[in-house]
Amino acid sequence: TVGCSSSENNDIQTSEVKQGEEVVVATSVAVTEILDKLGVKVSGVPTTSYELPESVKNATEVGSPMNPDMEIIKSLNPTVVVSVDTLGEDYKKTFTQNNIPSEFVNLTNVDGLKETIKTLGERFDKNDKANEILKELEDKEAKNDEKVMILFGAPGSVMIGTDKSYTGNLVQICGGNNVFSEGNSSYIQVNMEEIIKANPDKILVTMHALPEETK
């Protein structure tokens, strides 16, 4: 059941929560996809141009991942809102100030992804499914020595991913050789001469925001 303001509907929602039914809101695409894989029903999802899983086609949109609409979220009477922990303390405080139960997960690297799957599996009593997903991840971590370059694209700009980036971390775990592994940050600028000299076997492209325009 989603945001209705009548006392009758609020009574129904309260009764459902007492019976143990979770009302879950996800504020990021990645969190939505993880909850879908775990088989968790999601009532609120981020507003995004990315395609979300079929299981959430009837969920309520709660605004952009970086600036969700707290009034819409509160109208859903969530038992928990799951968000990423990379948007800062002010972002987290917004949920506290609005008395919204929330949980923040780390998705900055593959270890964080694994811990998130494990934590959410325990939180929603989906341990078997979580273990199945973790096993699939481990099976895919086969070693290889291909030279890989990571392009991180957004409208109007392109950067190169180092080993500090999420995709770079994934390449590292899988045994790939990131031709631009070193850097002071997750993403760096390089010129075309450096790219030609690196001569990667494969180029991985990740698109941030407006994926069709970026592509």
Side-chain angles (χ1 to χ4, degrees), residues 6-138:
S6 71
S7 60
E8 180 182 352
N9 279 313
N10 285 336
D11 289 343
I12 291 172
Q13 291 170 340
T14 302
S15 175
E16 288 175 343
V17 172
K18 285 181 179 178
Q19 293 171 12
E21 181 175 332
E22 296 274 9
V23 180
V24 183
V25 172
T27 64
S28 88
V29 173
V31 169
T32 304
E33 291 175 340
I34 292 169
L35 292 171
D36 170 70
K37 289 288 186 184
L38 288 170
V40 176
K41 179 183 176 183
V42 179
S43 300
V45 296
T47 303
T48 177
S49 57
Y50 288 92
E51 185 177 352
L52 295 176
E54 182 69 16
S55 67
V56 299
K57 67 178 182 179
N58 294 322
T60 300
E61 292 188 1
V62 300
S64 71
M66 296 186 71
N67 188 29
D69 190 314
M70 292 297 156
E71 292 306 314
I72 294 177
I73 291 176
K74 285 193 288 187
S75 76
L76 298 175
N77 291 331
T79 53
V80 65
V81 177
V82 186
S83 304
V84 293
D85 66 1
T86 52
L87 295 175
E89 289 303 314
D90 288 342
Y91 184 86
K92 294 180 182 181
K93 286 179 183 176
T94 304
F95 291 92
T96 304
Q97 291 166 352
N98 282 275
N99 296 315
I100 298 171
S102 54
E103 184 162 338
F104 297 90
V105 297
N106 170 22
L107 294 177
T108 57
N109 53 41
V110 177
D111 284 342
L113 170 65
K114 290 178 179 179
E115 184 61 31
T116 294
I117 292 169
K118 180 176 181 292
T119 298
L120 294 181
E122 292 171 351
R123 171 66 174 78
F124 297 108
D125 196 23
K126 301 287 185 180
N127 287 313
D128 289 347
K129 189 62 180 175
N131 289 333
E132 181 183 319
I133 296 169
L134 291 171
K135 178 65 165 55
E136 288 176 5
L137 286 174
E138 290 169 0

